Amino acid sequence: MHKDKVMGGAIIGILADAVKLIVNYLLYKLGYTSVVFWQIIATRFLEKEYLFKPSAYIIGGIADITVTAGLGVLFVYSIQFIGRNYLIIKGIGYGLIIWVSLFGTLLGQSVQEKIPQTPSSIFVTIVAHFFFGLSLAVFTHYFYRSKKTF
């Protein structure tokens, strides 16, 4: 299975997503944000009145897991192409590029219209994506330790 970059990348993306979600949830519990990622993602699919209902978590969760699995595959293939040197920095950079791409463009308008974000809430998304990228790098390193499989 280690030779299968699609499955390996999907698993790495989902594991890194779990770390991102843990960071998000901890900062949510500490009061730095009023929503969790799955609610933010659900803003692309649901109207404001549904974002605090169980359906929002399910819809947002399915979308988040699907996207992060794909991002993991893309990361693994990117690393194969550009090399594993400085993997941690590449992972963190990738996570922050994803943050800018998703929150700066795709989710930005729908989130602000439906769930106004404070600077603290936005900072939570940055920190969580920093850890997402870091986790991608760490899981990629451990998943593909052997040079024969990468």
Side-chain angles (χ1 to χ4, degrees), residues 11 24 50 53 64 80-81 86 89 96 100 131 135 137 139:
I11 291 167
N24 175 232
Y50 298 108
K53 296 185 184 283
D64 186 44
Q80 179 185 3
F81 179 71
Y86 309 106
I89 294 169
L96 293 176
V100 169
F131 281 101
S135 299
F139 291 133

Side-chain angles (χ1 to χ4, degrees), residues 6-140:
V6 172
M7 286 305 298
I11 291 167
I12 288 166
I14 291 168
L15 290 172
D17 187 43
V19 173
K20 177 190 80 173
L21 294 171
I22 290 168
V23 170
N24 175 232
Y25 190 72
L26 288 173
L27 294 171
Y28 166 79
K29 284 306 234 180
L30 292 171
Y32 291 102
T33 185
S34 60
V35 293
V36 295
F37 272 112
W38 290 359
Q39 290 171 288
I40 292 171
I41 294 165
T43 64
R44 294 298 294 166
F45 304 99
L46 298 172
E47 293 302 320
K48 184 177 184 174
E49 63 267 16
Y50 298 108
L51 296 176
F52 292 90
K53 296 185 184 283
S55 59
Y57 296 98
I58 294 167
I59 292 166
I62 291 168
D64 186 44
I65 292 167
T66 303
V67 169
T68 56
L71 291 172
V73 173
L74 184 60
F75 182 74
V76 166
Y77 274 103
S78 298
I79 292 303
Q80 179 185 3
F81 179 71
I82 63 175
R84 289 194 274 181
N85 296 336
Y86 309 106
L87 188 58
I88 298 294
I89 294 169
K90 290 174 183 176
I92 292 168
Y94 183 83
L96 293 176
I97 287 170
I98 296 305
W99 174 78
V100 169
S101 300
L102 293 179
F103 283 89
T105 58
L106 297 176
L107 287 172
Q109 290 179 343
S110 66
V111 172
Q112 280 297 64
E113 291 171 5
K114 297 175 184 178
I115 306 174
Q117 298 287 291
T118 64
S120 175
S121 293
I122 293 170
F123 190 68
V124 167
T125 65
I126 295 169
V127 170
H129 279 84
F130 174 94
F131 281 101
F132 173 71
L134 176 64
S135 299
L136 281 173
V138 170
F139 291 133
T140 299

